[in-house]
């Protein structure tokens, strides 16, 4: 019996040893990989619709593709204020602003993949092909994309470009129908990528047009190695990249839609970087992790219908702005993860004017302004709160309630309207049914015109994006004037005047510019987040 | 043994036929068009639909339609997934091996821990050791698997950082699929990082396999305990004892072997339970197996995938069941004479 017990004890000891050995394996595993491997695992939130940013606007797709696989002719610098060369080493805009000429780099290689071996380097044919597919409705690759180029269609690119002209192998000219200073911003946006004409021709010969967007070939710092839908995307550095080559061995997108799973994977060291993290305090508590946020190019605002009394009176609008405690909104609705908006332009924009301050929270001032407008007894007002979550306004209903209680102090009786679903809500707002509304705007590129024109110009009343129905001729002529010149200094001066008009007229009250967050291991170095558009791994390294 | 084998095989075939009938009838029971439920072609053009209708013999009797369906299944054609539009068979081929691996490792773990513990409890019948083992098994059996899964992730992945919390292997490793079973494929590969990859895959499987193994292990404890107690109570043990064999000799020579025979018989029965636990565990650990794929298909109302997945998963359980029957018969000659399959 004693002997048997001894045997059993021995057996148990063996099992225990095996378990301990396995545990030690476990202890080792993550350090092994991180020390031997210069790869980044980015846990992303969704599945890309395509591998070509020309054909989509979804943020997930732009994140995966634009800065990783492709290059544009021009791009933005790190501060995202100045346009700098990319595939074009320089460019020139004629004085009348109608001709934009790009001089291309001569040493740019396309990706070599298992399906395609490029026989030549980048030249003007590739640039013309990339834009011709968007402009020419009879182009086979226009048809293969179903004619859907949402960004280019939203900026009316087809109406602006007369034709794209080849001057020589490395010089290409965009001939415009009219001057438009946003052309450079549009060409520097994440959507204006350059594709390989040679690859497209090869595919066309085999009738495989769809592969152009799904099996990507670009000039970017990474190329696609493998993709398993809903599971992962693996990139490797482009060995012949024209710019600074990435030091990473691999860049892996681990597709993890659940935000809880992403957090778990980060804490368990399986992801190096995760998108849209939750539980910020938990991440901040860990010494090996860091949380970073970047103000996005968006604005959440309270818009007044300036056609409806008493909001047609600018003093009433200003009174409301003074009566709202914005700090409380930022804390309650945005959990202090947004910037206080003083104007419609976020801080990273080059036209941002820090001299303009947001209206101070003061019940006295509000009352005085209301008395001036002859409304010291107050009035009733409808406030429409959007029924959906958006980055610029994560909870419009709570925000509406806060505003309601704020305005009650100055005898304004707010009726919150929230009975409509989103598309009905938008169409009723576009008709001008509302008195005031909580809405917002996310920009496609950092050019300030992308905030001014759609939100507040007279013409955008007709297209439905100006929900304030405010039309000011001086303001509109300033916007038109700004589009005619490509000189940023000159445009800054013009936009400063425009912002002052807005501060004085207050057709809408800017509330917040929300931030985009990301969490990463501290050993991951380099800038990943952009203020607008997709993320960028080209300068990321691992210690 | 021949009769035994034939009986088992006929039982196997009959059950598979029943399963295909069930799977075929699901295409009528699910909402929507029956042909689209069978083929998964949600965006088919008129011509494609006409072709499909012909290949599934839509105009004929139900029996003829069933045989058309059966011939599609025989040709490994289970239609395409309604959500991803990839062939269901290809998805099954990708997702079944990880489940086989997980359930197999869990089964081995459950047996390796449960059976010896059960024997120990039986030998120390009605002592503190017996009580301790029984309490442990009761406790293990009562813990809900999803809660246990989250708990071990919290403790071993997040707090201690010993094991990864999800997936089958770190995405950094590239393993060429040969058999589909990852651990074997790694050993077959000639990568320089072979051992690192193996170690990594092992670290990934330990937590989910332990979670899956816990409940079956507690059942094995009870089975092994009862079985060993029966054996120790039998006349031949009394005879052996009277011959003067020590307890150790009795246990090693007669006890374990004879008790094992009864335990093996129930392994097949436990397997269905184990696969159910594995499905929940796969969800928690993002294990890329067929259980998780099936649950996601149910969420997405992907009827083709549900039919294919159910068919394959139940066939898998049944095959294991039959295999354990054979092992039992091989170990226990008396069972071979039994006429009816269990």
């Amino acid at each position: 019996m004693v002997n048997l017990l001894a045997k059993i004890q021995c057996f148990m000891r063996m099992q225990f040893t095996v378990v301990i050995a396995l545990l030690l394996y476990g202890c080792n595993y993550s350090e092994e990989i991180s020390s031997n491997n210069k790869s980044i695992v980015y846990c992303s939130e969704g599945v890309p619709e395509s591998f070509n940013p020309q054909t989509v606007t979804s943020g997930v797709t732009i994140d995966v593709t634009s800065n990783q696989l492709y290059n544009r002719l021009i791009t933005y610098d790190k501060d995202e204020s100045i346009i700098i060369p990319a595939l074009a080493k320089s460019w020139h805009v004629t004085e009348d602003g109608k001709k934009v000429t790009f001089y291309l780099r001569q040493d740019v290689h396309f990706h070599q993949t298992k399906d395609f071996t490029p026989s030549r380097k980048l030249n003007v044919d590739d640039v013309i092909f990339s834009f011709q597919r968007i402009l020419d409705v009879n182009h086979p690759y226009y048809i293969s994309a179903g004619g859907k180029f949402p960004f280019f269609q939203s900026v009316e690119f087809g109406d602006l470009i007369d034709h794209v002209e080849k001057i020589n192998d490395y010089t290409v000219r965009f001939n415009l129908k009219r001057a438009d200073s946003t052309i450079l911003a549009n060409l520097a946006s994440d959507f204006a990528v350059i594709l390989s004409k040679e690859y497209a021709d090869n595919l066309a010969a085999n009738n495989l047009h769809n592969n152009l967007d799904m099996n990507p070939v670009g000039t970017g710092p990474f190329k696609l190695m493998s993709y398993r839908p809903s599971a992962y995307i693996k990139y490797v550095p482009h060995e012949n990249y024209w710019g600074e080559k990435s030091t990473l061995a691999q860049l892996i997108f681990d597709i993890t839609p659940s935000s809880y799973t992403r957090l778990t994977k980060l804490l368990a060291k399986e992801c190096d970087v995760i998108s849209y993290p939750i539980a910020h305090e938990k991440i901040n508590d860990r010494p090996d992790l860091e949380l970073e946020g970047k103000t996005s190019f968006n604005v959440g605002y309270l818009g007044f219908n300036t056609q409806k009394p008493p909001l047609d009176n600018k003093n009433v609008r200003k009174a409301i702005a003074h009566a709202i405690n914005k700090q409380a909104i930022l804390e309650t609705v945005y959990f202090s993860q947004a910037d206080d908006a003083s104007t419609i332009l976020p801080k990273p924009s080059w036209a941002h004017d820090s001299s303009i301050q947001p209206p101070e929270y003061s019940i006295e001032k509000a009352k005085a302004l209301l008395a001036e407008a002859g409304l010291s007894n107050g009035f009733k007002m409808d406030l429409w709160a959007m029924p959906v979550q958006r980055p610029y306004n994560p909870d419009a209903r709570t925000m509406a309630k806060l505003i309601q209680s704020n305005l009650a102090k100055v005898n304004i009786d707010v009726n919150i309207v929230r009975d409509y679903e989103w598309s009905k809500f938008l169409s009723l707002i576009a008709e001008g049914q509302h008195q005031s509304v909580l809405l917002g705007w996310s920009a496609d590129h950092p050019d300030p015109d992308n905030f001014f024109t759609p939100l507040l110009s007279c013409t955008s009343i007709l297209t439905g994006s100006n929900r304030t129905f405010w039309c000011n001729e001086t303001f509109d002529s300033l916007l038109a004037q700004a589009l005619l010149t490509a000189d940023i200094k000159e445009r800054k001066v013009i936009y400063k005047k425009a912002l002052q008009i807005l501060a004085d007229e207050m057709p809408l009250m800017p509330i917040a510019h929300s931030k985009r967050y990301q969490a990463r291991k501290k050993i991951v170095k380099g800038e990943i987040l952009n203020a607008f558009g997709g993320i960028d791994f080209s300068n990321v390294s691992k210690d | 043994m021949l009769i035994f084998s034939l009986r088992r095989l006929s039982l196997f075939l009959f059950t598979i036929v029943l399963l295909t009938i069930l799977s075929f009838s699901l295409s009528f029971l699910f909402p929507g068009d029956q042909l689209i439920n069978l083929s998964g072609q949600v965006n088919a053009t008129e011509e494609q639909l006409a072709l499909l209708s012909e290949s599934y013999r839509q105009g004929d009797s139900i029996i003829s339609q069933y045989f058309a369906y059966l011939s599609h299944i025989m040709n490994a054609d289970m239609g395409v997934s309604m959500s991803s539009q990839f062939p269901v068979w290809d998805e099954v081929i990708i997702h079944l091996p990880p489940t086989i691996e997980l359930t197999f490792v869990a089964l081995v773990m459950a047996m390796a821990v449960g059976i010896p513990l059960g024997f120990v409890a039986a030998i120390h019948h009605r002592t503190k050791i017996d009580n301790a083992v029984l309490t442990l098994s009761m406790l293990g059996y009562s813990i809900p698997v999803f809660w246990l899964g989250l708990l071990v992730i919290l403790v071993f992945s997040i707090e201690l950082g010993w094991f990864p919390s999800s997936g089958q292997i770190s995405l950094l490793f590239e393993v060429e699929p040969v058999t589909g079973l990852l651990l074997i494929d790694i050993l077959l590969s000639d990568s320089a990082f072979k051992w690192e990859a193996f170690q990594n895959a092992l670290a990934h499987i330990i937590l989910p396999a332990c979670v899956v193994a816990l409940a079956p292990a507690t059942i094995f404890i009870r089975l092994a305990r009862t079985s060993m107690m029966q054996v120790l109570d039998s006349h031949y043990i009394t005879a052996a004892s009277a011959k003067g064999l020590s307890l150790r000799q009795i246990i090693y020579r007669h006890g374990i072997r004879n008790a094992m025979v009864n335990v093996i018989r129930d392994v097949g029965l436990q397997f269905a339970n184990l696969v159910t636990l594995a499905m929940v565990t796969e969800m928690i650990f993002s294990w890329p197996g067929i259980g998780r794929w099936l649950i996601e298909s149910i969420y997405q109302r992907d009827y083709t995938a549900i039919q294919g997945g159910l068919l394959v998963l139940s066939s898998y359980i049944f095959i294991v069941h039959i295999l354990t029957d054979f092992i039992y018969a091989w170990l226990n000659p008396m069972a071979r004479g039994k006429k009816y399959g269990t």
Side-chain angles (χ1 to χ4, degrees), chain A residues 69-365:
Chain A
L69 293 171
Y70 299 99
N71 293 119
R72 285 95 74 175
L73 287 172
I74 43 180
T75 186
Y76 280 93
D77 72 338
K78 272 210 156 54
D79 303 330
E80 295 166 74
S81 51
I82 311 167
I83 291 174
I84 55 168
L87 290 182
K89 57 186 181 195
S90 61
W91 63 93
H92 173 254
V93 186
T94 51
E95 274 193 16
D96 63 359
K98 285 187 175 175
K99 288 190 171 79
V100 188
T101 313
F102 291 98
Y103 305 95
L104 303 188
R105 284 175 201 281
Q106 302 203 355
D107 50 355
V108 178
H109 293 262
F110 280 101
H111 298 154
Q112 181 177 350
T113 66
K114 60 180 192 302
D115 301 321
F116 173 66
T117 307
S119 67
R120 63 168 177 81
K121 295 178 187 175
L122 170 99
N123 66 29
V124 162
D125 294 340
D126 300 309
V127 179
I128 294 181
F129 165 77
S130 305
F131 291 101
Q132 207 57 35
R133 108 171 263 206
I134 296 165
L135 298 167
D136 177 5
V137 292
N138 297 316
H139 198 286
Y141 282 100
Y142 181 93
I143 297 160
S144 76
K148 283 186 192 144
F149 300 96
F151 170 77
F152 293 98
Q153 282 152 353
S154 74
V155 299
E156 295 172 348
F157 195 66
D159 291 341
L160 178 66
I161 307 287
D162 188 59
H163 65 284
V164 187
E165 182 186 358
K166 176 175 182 172
I167 308 294
N168 62 39
D169 269 359
Y170 293 98
T171 312
V172 62
R173 179 172 295 155
F174 287 73
N175 294 285
L176 314 188
K177 290 178 187 160
R178 54 175 192 279
D180 186 335
S181 57
T182 62
I183 176 80
L184 290 180
N186 286 334
L187 291 179
S189 74
D190 284 345
F191 308 93
V193 296
I194 303 300
L195 314 174
S196 164
K197 181 174 189 293
E198 190 191 4
Y199 178 53
D201 289 344
N202 280 4
L203 293 176
N206 296 312
N207 210 12
L208 291 169
H209 294 84
N210 285 334
N211 283 17
L212 184 73
D213 299 329
M214 290 315 289
N215 297 340
V217 166
T219 55
F222 296 96
K223 63 181 184 181
L224 180 67
M225 186 167 74
S226 58
Y227 170 47
R228 191 150 132 200
S230 307
Y232 60 78
I233 307 164
K234 289 186 182 181
Y235 289 157
V236 285
H238 177 193
E239 62 280 11
N240 295 318
Y241 186 52
W242 59 271
E244 200 169 317
K245 290 189 188 77
S246 172
T247 55
L248 301 178
Q250 287 185 69
L251 169 62
I252 298 165
F253 290 78
D254 183 352
I255 299 168
T256 315
S258 153
S259 50
Y260 294 97
T261 315
R262 281 203 301 280
L263 180 70
T264 309
K265 283 183 167 183
L266 179 76
L267 297 177
K269 300 175 190 162
E270 289 156 72
C271 303
D272 296 305
V273 187
I274 64 168
S275 62
Y276 303 103
I278 51 167
H280 292 187
E281 300 80 31
K282 178 84 192 162
I283 295 167
N284 282 326
D285 283 349
R286 287 269 298 246
D288 56 333
L289 302 177
E290 79 189 329
L291 180 74
E292 49 182 342
K294 195 144 196 175
T295 306
S296 299
F297 269 62
N298 64 27
V299 59
Y301 63 80
L302 166 64
F304 304 108
N305 186 342
T306 55
Q307 307 273 332
K308 285 197 173 172
L311 296 171
D312 53 350
N313 183 338
K314 74 176 180 186
N315 282 341
V316 177
R317 301 196 292 262
K318 280 181 162 172
I320 293 174
H322 278 300
I324 292 173
N325 183 355
K326 230 194 311 179
Q327 216 48 48
I329 290 179
L330 291 175
E331 279 163 23
T332 319
V333 178
Y334 295 90
F335 302 103
S336 303
Q337 286 163 9
D339 284 349
D340 184 355
S342 55
T343 69
I344 55 171
L345 294 179
K347 265 190 201 130
S349 170
W350 55 256
H352 177 81
D353 184 357
S354 50
S355 67
I356 296 175
Q357 288 302 313
E360 151 200 16
Y361 172 55
S362 159
I363 300 291
E364 289 72 40
K365 279 190 181 170

Side-chain angles (χ1 to χ4, degrees), chain B residues 56-340:
Chain B
Y56 282 100
R57 292 188 226 145
Q58 287 291 292
D60 298 1
S61 66
I62 287 283
I63 306 290
S64 168
Q65 284 184 37
Y66 168 70
F67 279 103
Y69 170 70
L70 213 56
S71 82
H72 274 271
I73 298 275
M74 297 289 206
N75 292 319
D77 171 16
M78 295 178 160
V80 296
S81 154
M82 282 178 165
S83 57
S84 72
Q85 293 291 302
F86 285 109
V88 170
W89 181 252
D90 292 359
E91 299 256 6
V92 165
I93 291 295
I94 291 173
H95 293 107
L96 187 60
T99 300
I100 295 180
E101 220 167 302
L102 178 64
T103 46
F104 184 74
V105 172
L107 188 68
V108 170
M109 276 185 174
M111 288 169 74
V113 175
I115 295 174
L117 274 181
F119 288 165
V120 170
I123 295 162
H124 298 276
H125 186 45
R126 290 197 181 148
T127 62
K128 277 182 184 166
I129 296 181
D130 186 24
N131 287 339
V133 171
L134 280 184
T135 313
L136 213 69
S137 90
M138 200 60 207
L139 211 67
Y141 190 69
S142 322
I143 295 177
V145 66
F146 58 87
W147 185 77
L148 180 70
L150 294 176
L151 195 72
V152 297
I153 287 180
L154 185 69
V155 175
F156 294 103
S157 298
I158 296 180
E159 293 301 329
L160 297 172
W162 287 358
F163 296 103
S165 69
S166 66
Q168 203 183 4
I169 187 171
S170 165
L171 291 173
L172 301 173
F173 296 105
E174 196 69 28
V175 182
E176 196 64 37
V178 184
T179 60
L181 298 168
L182 188 73
L183 289 171
I184 296 175
D185 283 350
I186 293 174
L187 293 178
L188 290 176
S189 81
D190 47 8
S191 151
F193 299 103
K194 189 162 142 179
W195 290 109
E196 277 179 30
F198 190 74
Q199 191 178 318
N200 189 271
L202 214 57
H204 275 80
I205 206 169
I206 287 175
L207 287 189
C210 286
V211 170
V212 177
L214 186 68
T218 61
I219 292 173
F220 285 133
I221 288 179
R222 287 163 166 267
L223 284 174
R225 180 174 168 275
T226 317
S227 172
M228 182 58 102
M229 270 160 48
Q230 275 171 3
V231 169
L232 291 180
D233 247 6
S234 61
H235 296 304
Y236 60 86
I237 297 291
T238 319
S241 171
K243 270 192 336 193
L245 264 68
S246 69
L247 183 63
R248 188 183 128 221
Q249 283 168 319
I250 291 173
I251 300 281
Y252 273 82
R253 289 195 196 158
H254 305 286
I256 292 183
R257 229 184 141 175
N258 288 303
M260 275 302 276
V261 168
N262 289 331
V263 178
I264 293 287
R265 193 183 54 196
D266 288 318
V267 168
L269 288 175
Q270 285 311 311
F271 196 72
N273 183 21
L274 195 122
V275 171
T276 316
L277 295 174
M279 285 177 73
V280 180
T281 310
E282 283 180 5
M283 282 305 283
I284 297 168
F285 286 88
S286 307
W287 187 262
I290 197 160
R292 175 165 166 249
W293 177 72
L294 194 58
I295 291 174
E296 276 170 5
S297 305
I298 293 170
Y299 275 129
Q300 291 162 6
R301 309 268 191 283
D302 188 341
Y303 301 126
T304 346
I306 296 173
Q307 285 172 65
L310 282 179
L311 190 62
V312 171
L313 203 59
S314 30
S315 307
Y316 169 54
I317 294 174
F318 200 70
I319 288 170
V320 174
H321 206 139
I322 296 270
L323 277 179
T324 50
D325 261 6
F326 274 108
I327 296 173
Y328 175 57
W330 172 61
L331 286 174
N332 181 13
M334 271 159 66
R336 292 171 212 164
K338 280 193 183 168
K339 283 183 180 164
Y340 305 103

Side-chain angles (χ1 to χ4, degrees), chain A residues 347-409:
Chain A
K347 265 190 201 130
S349 170
W350 55 256
H352 177 81
D353 184 357
S354 50
S355 67
I356 296 175
Q357 288 302 313
E360 151 200 16
Y361 172 55
S362 159
I363 300 291
E364 289 72 40
K365 279 190 181 170
K367 281 185 173 162
L369 281 164
L370 281 178
E372 211 175 296
L375 286 166
S376 40
N377 291 331
F379 61 94
K380 278 192 175 182
M381 181 177 92
D382 282 345
L383 173 61
W384 291 47
M386 47 189 257
V388 292
Q389 277 195 339
R390 283 288 181 275
Y392 50 71
N393 192 339
D395 187 355
R397 291 177 177 187
T398 306
M399 195 189 278
K401 281 182 192 160
L402 290 172
I403 291 176
Q404 189 180 39
S405 69
N406 282 163
L407 294 188
K409 290 180 190 160

